[in-house]
Amino acid sequence: MSAFRRLRDRLRPQSIAGQIALLVVAGIAVAHMVATAAFLLLHEPQNPDTLPGVAAGRLSTLVRLLDEADPAARPALLASGRSLPLIRVEAWDGAVPQDAAPVPDLPVIRRLRVGAGRPVTVVDLSKDQDRAPSDGLLHIGMVTPNGATLQATLPDAPLHPPRQGALIFTVVFLALTLALLCLWATRALTAPLARLAGAAEAFGTRDDHVALPEAGPREVLAVSRALDRMRARVRRLIDDRTQMLAAISHDLRTPITRLRLRAEFIEDEHTRTATLRDLDQMNGLVEAALSFVRDGQTRDAGSYSLVDLASVVQTVCDDFSDFGAPVSVGRSRHVLVQGRPEELQRAITNLVDNAVKYGGRAEVRMEASERGIRVCVLDQGPGIPDSERDAMLQPFVRGDRARNLNEASGFGLGLSIVLAIVEAHNGRLILENRREGGLCAAIELPLAAQAYAGRTARPASPLPARAA
């Protein structure tokens, strides 16, 4: 089997153009072979004189000629009919034997009556005492409306109708064979491209484990190797960025700590307060940058667990309420999602913090969606203009860009971190302005069953709402 596979791989063209050409040639060859086999099996005999139907048709033609000819010319016509193959024609005086049997309803007799085109009397002369019956032959006498008579012996064989059923079956079989061949060959050609597209689509997500195709046309293999090298370069760049930021964070913590200790000895209270505030901003900026890089990295799907999303939402809201922030839970649903609870809690915390910071208060609702479950964080703030909505998801872009850094309470990484976490959980982040005013920041996540099965998310079944 392995030798046959090696021979097949050696004979198969390596390029897409060659494989398509082979497919076309193979389809034409199969069509010709099936058509040739059908012709050999269904063709009629080379000598049509041996067919019973042809003999009956010629006899009916002779009957018509005798009926329309002058009585004096009938003997000559009858003599010429004696040369017809498979038929023996003789003169007949029209006398019917007493023991003559009724003419059987045979296909040959029906063909004679139809071919004559007139009411012809047919008599069975097989029991004539002067003639012995012959096996497989039919001896009949015929009388036309104009008085012409003759007796004939012809084969009593069944008529074979045209093989229409076999012909239709052959055509259908040929069409199905070509369709299956084309379908198989097309799937064989496109399967490496589909795997390549899947690997490219999965790159950068938590399901980044799709193997690149190792077999297929030469062009697909070239693209596969180039994509593999690109993935390696991108991963190396991401690792270098993470290591660089980690090193910067580690190296900056020590001088920031020393500066904080020295700032405590500044006698001028205003200067000391301003210096400590600047140091806090520096430390917060470093920590926020590290969180953004960490949350944007791809994680192994095996590190995810089942998470009760309602419990995470309630925990976040309770933490804000403990500090006196106006945060409430409007609707909640106990559903399970697959992910990391600390990251989901951080994402919801960032959305609630933005709602409180820019909208004055926050209300959290959970509702079913086409993708599974949706967590909506509603506020009563000014919202986000449509022209700036995409820019707000970029790192270091703040909603209060008119303010300076000293007055700002963030670094513009909150929504970027949320987006990285949500995409790592196969979800999506939606920012919409509410009609009644304010912003709705929604996180849509697939349910745990859908995440495990790898299917397209379906609407979640309604669950009873739990009071906040």
Side-chain angles (χ1 to χ4, degrees):
M1 186 65 181
S2 59
F4 172 76
R5 185 176 301 173
R6 289 195 299 269
L7 179 61
R8 182 195 63 184
D9 295 339
R10 184 178 301 175
L11 295 178
R12 185 174 60 184
Q14 300 300 318
S15 63
I16 294 180
Q19 294 187 12
I20 293 177
L22 178 62
L23 170 62
V24 174
V25 172
I28 295 175
V30 170
H32 278 286
M33 287 189 295
V34 175
T36 303
F39 173 77
L40 295 177
L41 294 176
L42 302 178
H43 79 286
E44 297 293 342
Q46 295 294 332
N47 185 11
D49 295 335
T50 60
L51 298 176
V54 175
R58 290 173 176 174
L59 181 58
S60 63
T61 302
L62 180 60
V63 170
R64 288 201 308 271
L65 293 175
L66 289 174
D67 185 62
E68 296 177 357
D70 186 75
R74 288 173 181 173
L77 288 175
L78 189 61
S80 64
R82 293 172 183 172
S83 61
L84 295 176
L86 298 181
I87 306 174
R88 188 174 61 192
V89 180
E90 299 176 353
W92 181 46
D93 56 3
V96 180
Q98 295 181 356
D99 58 348
V103 178
D105 186 16
L106 299 175
V108 175
I109 301 299
R110 292 196 297 269
R111 176 69 64 85
L112 283 173
R113 294 183 185 276
V114 173
R118 60 206 66 198
V120 178
T121 302
V122 182
V123 181
D124 186 6
L125 301 179
S126 300
K127 300 298 183 180
D128 192 347
Q129 59 182 359
D130 296 335
R131 301 178 184 274
S134 301
D135 294 338
L137 296 177
L138 184 63
H139 186 208
I140 59 174
M142 304 182 66
V143 180
T144 66
N146 292 328
T149 60
L150 78 158
Q151 57 179 336
T153 303
L154 69 162
D156 184 16
L159 303 182
H160 297 285
R163 302 176 183 179
Q164 296 180 354
L167 182 60
I168 294 175
F169 172 78
T170 303
V171 173
V172 173
F173 176 76
L174 176 61
L176 290 178
T177 302
L178 292 179
L180 292 177
L181 175 63
C182 294
L183 180 62
W184 172 80
T186 303
R187 289 179 61 88
L189 285 174
T190 58
L193 293 176
R195 292 196 299 269
L196 185 62
E201 187 68 25
F203 180 61
T205 65
R206 66 184 180 94
D207 293 330
D208 189 8
H209 58 274
V210 180
L212 291 172
E214 299 179 357
R218 183 170 54 243
E219 295 85 351
V220 175
L221 293 179
V223 176
S224 176
R225 298 188 187 98
L227 180 60
D228 190 31
R229 293 192 296 268
M230 185 195 70
R231 291 200 307 184
R233 290 194 298 268
V234 172
R235 289 195 181 101
R236 186 166 58 251
L237 289 174
I238 294 176
D239 293 340
D240 293 343
R241 183 187 66 167
T242 304
Q243 294 176 3
M244 179 189 66
L245 290 177
I248 292 175
S249 174
H250 179 270
D251 294 341
L252 285 179
R253 283 195 179 100
T254 300
I256 289 176
T257 302
R258 289 199 301 264
L259 289 175
R260 185 185 299 276
L261 292 176
R262 294 173 183 174
E264 295 293 339
F265 294 99
I266 298 177
E267 296 181 356
D268 188 353
E269 182 178 357
H270 177 72
T271 303
R272 183 173 64 251
T273 301
T275 302
L276 292 175
R277 185 178 66 248
D278 292 340
L279 293 175
D280 290 338
Q281 286 185 346
M282 291 174 61
N283 187 68
L285 179 59
V286 171
E287 295 295 337
L290 282 176
S291 297
F292 172 70
V293 175
R294 181 178 61 251
D295 294 327
Q297 288 179 330
T298 302
R299 296 169 178 80
D300 184 10
S303 63
Y304 286 74
S305 60
L306 295 179
V307 180
D308 184 359
L309 195 58
S311 300
V312 175
V313 170
Q314 191 64 45
T315 300
V316 172
C317 295
D318 290 343
D319 291 342
F320 277 91
S321 298
D322 292 340
F323 288 98
V327 177
S328 62
V329 179
R331 289 193 302 269
S332 181
R333 296 171 179 269
H334 280 290
V335 294
L336 294 178
V337 298
Q338 188 182 11
R340 297 169 62 93
E342 65 275 7
E343 293 182 1
L344 295 176
Q345 182 174 345
R346 179 177 178 82
I348 298 174
T349 299
N350 287 356
L351 294 182
V352 173
D353 181 66
N354 285 342
V356 174
K357 185 186 306 180
Y358 299 107
R361 64 183 312 275
E363 179 183 359
V364 183
R365 298 177 183 175
M366 296 180 62
E367 57 189 25
S369 69
E370 295 181 356
R371 299 176 64 92
I373 190 66
R374 175 184 296 177
V375 179
C376 302
V377 179
L378 312 177
D379 62 41
Q380 298 178 355
I384 300 177
D386 295 340
S387 58
E388 300 181 4
R389 194 169 300 169
D390 295 335
M392 294 302 299
L393 299 177
Q394 302 299 321
F396 301 105
V397 176
R398 296 181 289 114
D400 52 352
R401 282 179 285 180
R403 307 177 184 178
N404 55 41
L405 185 60
N406 293 331
E407 297 176 351
S409 56
F411 303 99
L413 292 173
L415 291 179
S416 301
I417 293 175
V418 174
L419 180 62
I421 294 175
V422 171
E423 289 182 346
H425 287 75
N426 286 342
R428 64 176 180 175
L429 174 63
I430 304 174
L431 302 178
E432 297 178 342
N433 292 323
R434 304 169 59 194
R435 293 182 179 179
E436 58 272 21
L439 180 70
C440 173
I443 295 176
E444 288 190 355
L445 298 172
L447 299 180
Q450 299 166 354
Y452 279 122
R455 302 189 304 266
T456 303
R458 294 176 297 181
S461 57
L463 298 175
R466 180 173 63 88

